[in-house]
Amino acid sequence: MSVEEMITSADTVGTLDGERADILEMLVRHREFLRMTVRDITDEQARLRPTVSELSLGGLIKHVASVETAWVDFILEGPSALGDFENMTEADWEKRAADFRMLPDETLAGLLEAYDRVAARTDGLVATLPDLDASRPLPRAPWFEGDRSWSARRVLLHIVAETSQHAGHADIIRETLDGAKTMG
């Protein structure tokens, strides 16, 4: 069975303990915080940008799902999964920017369903990856320092940090929309 098949059919997630359970618990918690920010809103509200930022609630859900997918692909496939940032075209940058926007043909429900699939895949990887110390070299990009490698563990912690950071952004946007907050 391939790693990809293992992570999509993992039924051991609930029986994890130790480090893997801790990583998974943090992922689940911060995903829940992000999801809470979009409870009871419409597609139109999910597209709104109530601050000077380009960010919207739907765009953040879409972006976090895209980033999580890319980093899991990096764990499984290596640096080519993240792209060649040194040779990106204007069209590549526009496609990347579209990951932050909820497009007119997209629905919040659809974005949340896609995010659920991404989360299930990542959760399965946490449960089944043979070695959290397995490393991959980072692609060359302006935001990575020199020639470095990240372990699967480091990548999973990065996914937790990304999710947490964007849950905070979403909380601010939601409070700006209608005063609702994730906590408090």
Side-chain angles (χ1 to χ4, degrees):
M1 180 183 299
S2 72
V3 173
E4 196 66 34
E5 290 168 327
M6 290 187 325
I7 65 176
T8 57
S9 66
D11 57 4
T12 58
V13 172
T15 62
L16 293 177
D17 57 10
E19 178 181 30
R20 290 173 192 262
D22 291 344
I23 291 170
L24 192 55
E25 181 181 343
M26 293 305 293
L27 274 170
V28 168
R29 173 170 293 195
H30 290 282
R31 286 183 194 130
E32 287 174 2
F33 288 148
L34 180 58
R35 289 182 68 90
M36 287 165 82
T37 64
V38 297
R39 71 190 179 285
D40 302 324
I41 66 167
T42 65
D43 288 343
E44 292 73 30
Q45 289 172 307
R47 281 189 191 85
L48 291 175
R49 295 178 14 231
T51 68
V52 296
S53 168
E54 289 288 322
L55 301 177
S56 69
L57 292 172
L60 282 168
I61 298 288
K62 182 179 174 181
H63 171 69
V64 170
S66 174
V67 165
E68 189 168 321
T69 297
W71 280 110
V72 167
D73 289 347
F74 170 81
I75 290 171
L76 297 171
E77 302 165 21
S80 64
L82 295 180
D84 180 0
F85 297 105
E86 291 185 324
N87 295 304
M88 286 180 65
T89 66
E90 219 172 289
D92 294 330
W93 286 109
E94 178 51 39
K95 183 177 184 270
R96 185 175 166 86
D99 275 348
F100 282 97
R101 292 191 293 267
M102 185 173 163
L103 302 176
D105 64 330
E106 295 174 323
T107 65
L108 182 57
L111 294 175
L112 289 168
E113 287 173 17
Y115 189 34
D116 287 343
R117 287 189 299 276
V118 168
R121 179 177 182 240
T122 303
D123 294 353
L125 179 69
V126 171
T128 61
L129 190 66
D131 183 6
L132 292 179
D133 289 322
S135 286
R136 301 276 193 178
L138 292 171
R140 295 185 99 25
W143 45 86
F144 295 133
E145 299 171 7
D147 293 327
R148 295 191 55 203
S149 292
W150 278 8
S151 67
R153 176 185 298 101
R154 173 67 180 91
V155 171
L156 293 167
L157 293 173
H158 180 70
I159 293 170
V160 171
E162 275 274 327
T163 305
S164 178
Q165 178 181 14
H166 291 311
H169 293 144
D171 202 34
I172 291 167
I173 293 170
R174 178 61 190 261
E175 189 172 0
T176 303
L177 285 178
D178 63 6
K181 297 184 248 184
T182 304
M183 300 167 118

